[in-house]
Amino acid sequence: MFTGIDEVDWASLRHARGSARDVPGWLRALASADSTERATALDGMYGALRHEGRVYDSTLACVPFLLSLAARAAVPDRSGIVELLVGIGTEAVDGDTRAWEAVSAGAEVFVPLTGDPDPAVRGAAAGALVHFLAEPARALELLRQRLRAERDGCVLRALTEALGLFARRYPARAGTAVDLLAEHSAPPYDAGLRLAALGQLALTAPARLPADLVSTAVRLQRERSAQRAGLAEPPCTDTLVGRLRRLRPSDEEGAHLLRTLHTALGDRVADRTALLTGQLTGPDPVDRCNAVWMAAELLRGWRGDHTVTVGLLGGQLGAEQDRLRDAAVTVLAELFALAAPAADALHALVCARPDLWTHRWERGSPALGGPLKALARSGDPRALPALAQLLAGPAAPLDLGLELAHLGAAATPLAPAVRHRLGRIPLSSPSAALLAAPLLATVRAVRDREAVPEVLRLLSGAPDALGARDAVVGQAIGTLEALEATARAVPLLRALLTTRHAAAAAGALWSADGNATAVLPVLLRELTQGDPASQCLAAHRLGGLGPAARAALPALRRVARAGRTRQRTSAACALWHIGADPQEILPVFRTAWTEDPRTRAPIARCLASMGPAASPLQDLVAVELTTPRRHLPRTGASCRRGIPRDEALLSACREVLVVV
């Protein structure tokens, strides 16, 4: 198995964590009699050799030894090795085929593994045949033969997925594979296998699906769940792989079967909603928990009328199973106003479980609990009593103000308490910005003019001594503008004109005294010399000056022609508000709309302000309103707030069609 392993200069090779000198130890440990040692080695190789789909020289050097290990019947847990090889050979990025070629060179290893005594090995080898065997016809025949001989349900479903993969990989040869899938999607085969076959048919040959696909899938899921009832979950080791398995659905296979169907249905939102309705109303709480996460995928990624789905998510809040309830709460908290159909259920949970009002992460400050957060984000004023009680307590969650702001004017009774907390923030504290930002959000939401002294306090002192307050200066300026109180901050704002907050301060000064002469040079400097964010803000502030900023038109035109997409968009919006000439901005808008979906919301808002002058671009807006998919960032905090932002885009688009 390890012939030649010591002849490789592993120390000179690299993987995701640096030098590959630890790789031969991992390879030898994969053949160990100790299960923990094997699992730890597999952890290390997964993290180091497959990191983000990159191909390392050590990855390529490992492949022959992994193939040799997979071929030895005496090696335990070879299914994990086969899965690692498949991952190495299929997940490379940027068109790098070296890993696929390396695994394909040893593809004959996988042929006898399809008949291995270990069903886990047989299942892992099925897809490997399709990925790496050089002769497609031979791979298909091996799958067909194995499908007739196999009796293990998990392996049968793996073979079914391999047939679907074959049909997608070799569409000109897909006929036999599709026929086999259609055969196994009907009686007398068991419910799980039929579901697997239906999912693969939906991905490869939707014309072969039954007309009653949704009702059939729901019935098969419930049959499968009834057969699965009472089965114990397999134990998980205390390793990376084991911990990941504990985070997976308790019926991972069932989740995978239905998720495949949802993936295949894609933009067919009505069918997916009907499928979710069946899933979320089933008798098995495990099935419903899996369905909650599938509902999250639909709600995050697709537009439409989700009233029924959200209402059914609310129906899970009374479940006795903590896992199911917590999953539903997590999803509802992402929906903001779209969670309204579940508001009654959220309110009932908030009233019944005060212990869920807050949550404390390990070694962290208390945070607002999911049910109360979701209720507040939905805009329901019934969240107010609980929020008021927390705000009056000694350890109010830091994020309370951000969620309180979603209640708008309904939160006005809590303005004095918010004001009091804002005034007690120690300005020299490193956490000053963290403490102030949520409270300022509430002050803006309720338009509490009595909080002006507390907001001014955040701006007090010399600009070069802002220290911990620096991060909240922009929010404080915005709050003063929202309260129409910038005139009381003129000296402080002038002092900020030489800091990174210059554009915000200049715009606020304009709102205070209307003196364009004092702020134009500052805004032009930020527009031409600032970083991208400062350029966008400067353009926005110049637009706020209207015709008084005509001197900035040449610079704005240059940015609109030559800047990055977001800067071009900001400059074009400013050009409209200053010069009101649609001919010079509409082409910029059309190009930016196509290049970067993130520009569509500001463009739509500007188009709504243009009235009939925006009519040449109403085709873009009309198409947007019929597009089923949302435009969301994939990761980070922006992703978690993507749904309300997308809904705001749709609202702005509808407004455009009204005014044009």
Side-chain angles (χ1 to χ4, degrees), residues 579-619:
D581 180 3
Q583 299 306 315
E584 64 179 348
I585 66 169
L586 292 180
V588 178
F589 282 167
R590 184 174 288 278
T591 301
W593 188 282
T594 303
E595 288 180 351
D596 188 350
R598 291 171 296 182
T599 66
R600 295 182 185 181
I603 290 174
R605 290 193 293 270
C606 189
L607 291 175
S609 72
M610 293 170 63
S615 58
L617 297 189
Q618 65 179 322
D619 61 308

Side-chain angles (χ1 to χ4, degrees), residues 260-345:
T260 300
L261 262 183
H262 277 283
T263 300
L265 290 172
D267 292 344
R268 293 165 58 179
V269 174
D271 286 339
R272 294 179 66 181
T273 299
L275 181 55
L276 282 170
T277 298
Q279 293 176 256
L280 289 166
T281 55
D284 188 339
V286 173
D287 285 343
R288 299 203 308 274
C289 191
N290 290 339
V292 167
W293 297 119
M294 292 177 215
E297 294 174 17
L298 179 65
L299 293 162
R300 291 168 185 155
W302 280 265
R303 300 159 173 170
D305 183 357
H306 297 302
T307 304
V308 171
T309 301
V310 175
L312 290 172
L313 290 176
Q316 313 308 314
L317 300 182
E320 296 180 0
Q321 296 80 12
D322 290 349
R323 187 173 187 172
L324 172 56
R325 182 201 65 225
D326 292 346
V329 166
T330 300
V331 176
L332 289 169
E334 293 183 30
L335 303 185
F336 292 80
L338 289 189
D344 287 347

Side-chain angles (χ1 to χ4, degrees), residues 38-173:
R38 293 195 305 272
T40 301
L42 196 61
D43 281 355
M45 300 193 81
Y46 263 92
L49 302 181
R50 290 182 53 198
H51 184 67
E52 296 180 349
R54 293 180 182 154
V55 177
Y56 302 91
D57 49 10
S58 62
T59 308
L60 300 176
C62 277
V63 168
F65 301 106
L66 291 171
L67 288 166
S68 180
L69 284 163
R72 297 296 182 98
V75 174
D77 299 335
R78 285 171 300 138
S79 62
I81 298 172
V82 176
E83 290 172 358
L84 177 60
L85 281 164
V86 172
I88 287 172
T90 60
E91 295 179 7
V93 296
D94 299 328
D96 191 336
T97 63
R98 291 177 298 159
W100 177 83
E101 291 166 356
V103 179
S104 296
E108 284 299 322
V109 164
F110 302 120
V111 175
L113 295 184
T114 59
D116 194 89
D118 184 348
V121 172
R122 299 199 302 273
L129 292 179
V130 181
H131 282 298
F132 306 116
L133 211 58
E135 305 166 68
R138 183 180 174 213
L140 180 60
E141 178 59 21
L142 288 168
L143 291 176
R144 188 191 65 79
Q145 292 175 7
R146 191 66 239 168
L147 199 60
R148 300 301 185 199
E150 187 58 61
R151 294 296 177 266
D152 184 274
C154 291
V155 182
L156 282 168
R157 288 185 279 278
L159 289 164
T160 301
E161 292 197 1
L163 286 172
L165 175 64
F166 182 92
R168 296 189 296 277
R169 190 176 178 90
Y170 304 107
R173 303 170 179 260

Side-chain angles (χ1 to χ4, degrees), residues 412 415-416 419 422 442-456 479-488:
T412 300
R419 220 163 39 235
L422 194 61
T442 301
V443 170
R444 292 192 296 272
V446 303
R447 298 290 194 270
D448 181 20
R449 292 182 60 83
E450 292 185 42
V452 170
E454 285 78 9
V455 180
L456 289 173
T479 303
L480 289 171
E481 290 185 279
L483 301 179
E484 299 180 347
T486 52
R488 297 173 61 178

